[in-house]
Amino acid sequence: MRLLIATLTAASLGLAAAATPALAQVQQNNPNAANQSMETSGQVRALRQEQTTQSNTLRMDIQRNQAATPAPNTGPNAIGPTGGTGVIGR
């Protein structure tokens, strides 16, 4: 069984190595290959930039909401109402 797996692996690697020069020749014969490659790279960069922008916006919104949310006034150190009438000088 191990010999069969090793043989199949070696054969597939040999096919992949043999196919590589043929693929390179096809790309060399395609005058638009470089343009298509650059277009794809540009699209991937644009998608990454959009994802980064959305992630940063979400992070800023979360931070803004956390900063705007007051801390709860509970626990032993909470300052509660002090009473009185609220009128000074009576």
Side-chain angles (χ1 to χ4, degrees), residues 2-87:
R2 289 182 185 173
L3 180 59
L4 177 61
I5 293 172
T7 304
L8 291 174
T9 303
S12 65
L13 289 175
L15 288 174
T20 303
L23 289 174
Q25 289 173 358
V26 169
Q27 291 299 317
Q28 288 173 356
N29 291 332
N30 180 0
N32 293 320
N35 291 338
Q36 291 168 349
S37 176
M38 286 188 284
E39 179 183 8
T40 302
S41 297
Q43 289 171 346
V44 169
R45 275 195 306 275
L47 289 173
R48 283 187 187 145
Q49 181 64 44
E50 179 64 24
Q51 184 179 17
T52 301
T53 300
Q54 289 177 356
S55 175
N56 290 344
T57 301
L58 180 61
R59 186 179 306 115
M60 286 178 6
D61 287 343
I62 290 170
Q63 290 174 350
R64 189 177 301 120
N65 289 337
Q66 287 174 344
T69 304
N73 288 331
T74 59
N77 296 326
I79 301 173
T82 57
T85 61
V87 179

